[in-house]
Amino acid sequence: AGEENNAFAAASDKVLMTGYLDTGNSTTTTVGITGLPTELTGGDGYDVYVYTLGGTAGRGGGYRILAGDGTTALKDWVDAQSAQNPTDFTEAVPAAGTWAVGTYIKFSNLSAADIQVVASTVSPHGYSGTPRAPINAIQFVPSTGAPPPVFTEFTRNTDGSLTISWTGGGVLQVTTDIGSGMWQTVDGATSPYTFTPEAPMMFGRVLAQ
């Protein structure tokens, strides 16, 4: 639609937060996920990060987690609206009587192998005259209490090399084709990490260990 509400610096983050599942007025999007492995469901369970950023700031909707049967609520509604041209990932933290603003919602301490992620603009969960409840991505992280790794800085050096920084530890991976699903681990890479690009376009991500 020609809408642009995305000021992420890292190319991979910008791609991630550009495309999204959308809703219209008074509609609901449901994403069913089944067969989560015991590495997530066992022990302390897992957290679900729902990334939300529409093409226009100030539109919002409600999000919650249901059990796989679609009838049992595992996590209650969080009403959130899109931030204005965000440059980094920020959690939309709910507070009584207000709409949370951010780029992701965190649902903590789940253990079900099958869940449904629900995004709705049905009253009273629609925000603004044109409510939207986008879903850009869904991430699963073991419930260790530590936040997932996040890129924080990208610097182009005078010698042509690049320096990237991130928080949260993790393993750096790169690819020249984000659509291929083929990622290569950069052995021994820690933040900040400096390298010379080997291709005209490269994408990076950091996986939690």
Side-chain angles (χ1 to χ4, degrees):
E3 297 174 340
E4 179 64 35
N5 182 41
N6 184 336
F8 282 88
S12 56
D13 293 339
K14 194 171 184 69
V15 170
L16 178 72
M17 301 303 283
T18 295
Y20 52 90
L21 296 177
D22 203 6
T23 54
N25 295 355
S26 298
T27 62
T28 299
T29 297
T30 301
V31 180
I33 300 160
T34 62
L36 291 171
T38 55
E39 289 84 353
L40 288 173
T41 61
D44 295 328
Y46 60 89
D47 302 334
V48 179
Y49 289 75
V50 182
Y51 293 87
T52 64
L53 183 63
T56 302
R59 296 177 179 177
Y63 300 80
R64 68 172 175 168
I65 306 292
L66 300 179
D69 60 10
T71 60
T72 304
L74 301 181
K75 294 295 178 180
D76 202 5
W77 291 102
V78 173
D79 293 326
Q81 59 172 298
S82 291
Q84 176 70 51
N85 285 320
T87 60
D88 202 351
F89 293 101
T90 56
E91 182 177 359
V93 180
T98 64
W99 281 73
V101 180
T103 57
Y104 69 88
I105 301 167
K106 178 182 177 182
F107 296 96
S108 300
N109 304 120
L110 290 152
S111 59
D114 303 334
I115 66 169
Q116 293 184 11
V117 178
V118 177
S120 181
T121 57
V122 176
S123 179
H125 301 293
Y127 183 83
S128 87
T130 311
R132 293 291 184 269
I135 297 177
N136 299 79
I138 299 170
Q139 180 183 18
F140 298 89
V141 178
S143 295
T144 61
V150 174
F151 285 112
T152 58
E153 189 173 1
F154 175 92
T155 303
R156 184 180 299 277
N157 304 311
T158 56
D159 63 358
S161 64
L162 302 175
T163 299
I164 55 175
S165 301
W166 64 91
T167 60
V171 176
L172 176 65
Q173 294 188 328
V174 297
T175 184
T176 56
D177 182 0
I178 199 170
S180 70
M182 302 297 291
W183 292 86
Q184 179 180 354
T185 297
V186 182
D187 294 331
T190 58
S191 177
Y193 180 73
T194 299
F195 67 100
T196 299
E198 300 176 355
M201 183 176 294
M202 297 183 69
F203 301 91
R205 68 181 184 184
V206 182
L207 301 183
Q209 291 181 301

